[in-house]
Amino acid sequence: MISGQVIVAGQAEGEILYSDVPLSFWGGVSSDTGEVIDRHHPLSGEILAGRVLAIPGSRGSCSGSGVVLELILNGNGPAAILLERPEAIITLGVIVAQEVFGVSIPVHCLGPDSFQNLAKTGPVRVSGTPPLSPDTVPAIALSEKDQALLDGRFGAAAQVAMRIVLRMAAIEGATELIDITQAHIDGCIYTGPGGLAFAERLRDLGGRVVVPTTLNAISVDQRRWRRQGIDPAFADAASRLADAYVDMGAQPSFTCAPYLLDTAPKRDEQVVWAESNAVVYANSVLGARTMKYPDYLDICIALTGRAPKAGCHLDAQRQPALRIILPALGAVDDSFYPLIGYLGGTLASDDIPIIGGLGHLAPDTDALKAFGAAFATTSGAPMFHIAGVTPEARDAGDFNALPLRQHRVSHADLLRAWGELNGADAGAIDLIALGNPHFSATEIAALVGLCRGRTKHADVTVIVTCGRWTLEQARNAGHVAALESFGVQFVTDTCWCMIIEPLIPPHTRTIMTNSGKYAHYGPGLSGRAMRFGSLAACVEAAVSGRDAGHLPDWIVRS
């Protein structure tokens, strides 16, 4: 008998599928089949259907909740989920299935000791008493407007949204809700018919956002998918999903880098952002305040304007618990930042880290974007600090007075991370994938400089994804014409975590990228082998048709 906290009630039984490594459902599990497709995860190749999944928690993408929802609705999900610690992304997918579609699976939180005992467990039966309903949770103080939302006086969509907000607030340990000033929605990514039905139901119930709301990258280039040859059935569903959120009042920004927009929040502004890389950038680089909000909770908060007062909304929850110390470094290239972000995320797990040894390099916003995206891929933490660089680390004297656990990064650590991102052998390259997260105007300008006067190899495809606004900036600067003459294709609205054939040419065997995020997710999402390197190395491969596989000098010197 193992007891724990019942997060979502229900009964189930099945064989334990156990791992002590957190799992990102988006990019880590197929929403169609229930197979674990994260080729870096110990459970890679396992099938979830009918089994009791035991994992410490989630990591990586906020879109995992959408994958969980689809799996529950199509019958390919686990029979139950047992967690080591409370977490929002997986749990929210189950709660939406229950609140909106009337189907569910049990979710329990066991704590570290009981969770570890599951490693040697065979078949199990899961049962438990339901937690309090959101209407009767006494620990959450409701304002008069909160109660009116819950009673349905602001409409049925806002009522459903408020129920979900309060259930998640209870899980987060919040005692009250706070007002937020803006939202960024990640649930507009098409994971399957369940997510589409959810958005259209909220819209049809009269849902309207009550704060300025931007939309993440969607699953197709909405204006050009026909000429790109995308399957009409998939593209129509993905476009309908985007339209449902626009119908609810969201702006069709369609970018996974909302911090590049002129609406980016200011320091200490309380916001609700989803999309993992955007969350860590908002908290860490901008100094705004948001939790790592799961898909679907983002729109629920945008419809009510109210969020749990918990997590990174609070000063105490923004403190580091880990100090990562880098080796002495001289000059580095741009592959350094995603690699260190990727490694830092694996070291941090759910803890907020402070990274030392970077300040003298003065990383710019593009470097911090690349770092944050890779960090958010391998970590469940909602932010990081960099000593002497990020605003709260500067203000706190780099948190020198805090008793933090420490990890000193070694040469072996760097080589291991480099090897994980370079899963393919050096050699022929078929596709260069740039823009995960979406390229900025300055990254496009840097690419122009690297391509100028050179000729692309005929057998290599080069694709850059970026936001519509960024593309117009680059076009006005003459950069789009210059790169298109080199052979670069620009794709807007969507990004690499959603791109499929035929945008990925069917003959493609090896993809090269400068994104730590896509180097990690790419094998599972695209079915192709990945090479990782600097932007300059990607251009060299585009010209020669090959990646020589040389280690960067900064790793060799470290």
Side-chain angles (χ1 to χ4, degrees), residues 6-11 98 104-108 128-131 167:
V6 178
I7 306 296
V8 180
Q11 296 187 354
Q98 184 180 65
S104 185
I105 61 172
V107 180
H108 291 201
T129 304
R167 287 189 68 172

Side-chain angles (χ1 to χ4, degrees), residues 67-313:
V67 176
V68 172
L69 173 64
E70 299 300 336
L71 291 172
I72 292 173
L73 296 182
N74 66 27
N76 287 318
I81 299 175
L82 304 179
L83 302 167
E84 179 182 4
R85 51 188 178 267
E87 78 82 56
I89 294 173
I90 294 170
T91 305
L92 195 278
V94 181
I95 287 174
V96 168
Q98 184 180 65
E99 289 281 349
V100 179
F101 299 99
V103 293
S104 185
I105 61 172
V107 180
H108 291 201
C109 176
L110 303 182
D113 293 338
S114 295
F115 179 81
Q116 291 172 11
N117 291 335
L118 295 175
K120 300 178 181 178
T121 302
V124 296
R125 179 177 292 114
V126 180
S127 61
T129 304
L132 293 172
S133 75
D135 312 75
T136 58
V137 174
I140 300 177
L142 301 182
S143 70
E144 183 177 338
K145 185 174 181 181
D146 293 338
Q147 190 62 56
L149 286 161
L150 190 58
D151 292 343
R153 282 179 272 163
F154 286 86
Q159 183 181 36
V160 171
M162 191 55 152
R163 287 182 59 87
I164 293 171
V165 169
L166 287 174
R167 287 189 68 172
M168 294 306 296
I171 291 169
E172 295 286 355
T175 59
E176 60 182 307
L177 306 180
I178 58 171
D179 290 328
I180 52 98
T181 61
Q182 64 168 268
H184 181 70
I185 305 298
D186 192 42
C188 54
I189 293 171
Y190 184 74
T191 54
L196 174 59
F198 169 76
E200 292 187 332
R201 185 168 301 183
L202 288 179
R203 179 200 62 194
D204 294 345
L205 288 172
R208 293 287 298 179
V209 300
V210 297
V211 294
T213 299
T214 52
L215 290 177
N216 202 52
I218 58 176
S219 297
V220 291
D221 186 330
Q222 196 178 45
R223 300 173 296 181
R224 292 179 288 189
W225 62 262
R226 290 176 180 84
R227 77 181 82 151
Q228 292 166 349
I230 304 300
D231 175 54
F234 173 82
D236 179 67
S239 288
R240 280 175 56 197
L241 178 62
D243 290 342
Y245 283 100
V246 173
D247 291 344
M248 286 189 279
Q251 303 165 31
S253 47
F254 301 149
T255 179
C256 54
Y259 39 82
L260 298 178
L261 301 172
D262 57 10
T263 54
K266 304 297 189 291
R267 184 164 180 183
D268 294 328
E269 191 173 339
Q270 301 283 12
V271 303
V272 168
W273 275 20
E275 161 58 43
S276 60
N277 97 85
V279 168
V280 299
Y281 193 98
N283 278 322
S284 310
V285 181
L286 301 181
R289 298 187 170 219
T290 177
M291 287 198 285
K292 189 176 181 180
Y293 281 103
D295 290 14
Y296 309 146
L297 185 56
D298 48 14
I299 186 60
C300 290
I301 295 174
L303 293 174
T304 61
R306 302 283 279 167
K309 188 177 181 180
C312 279
H313 291 293

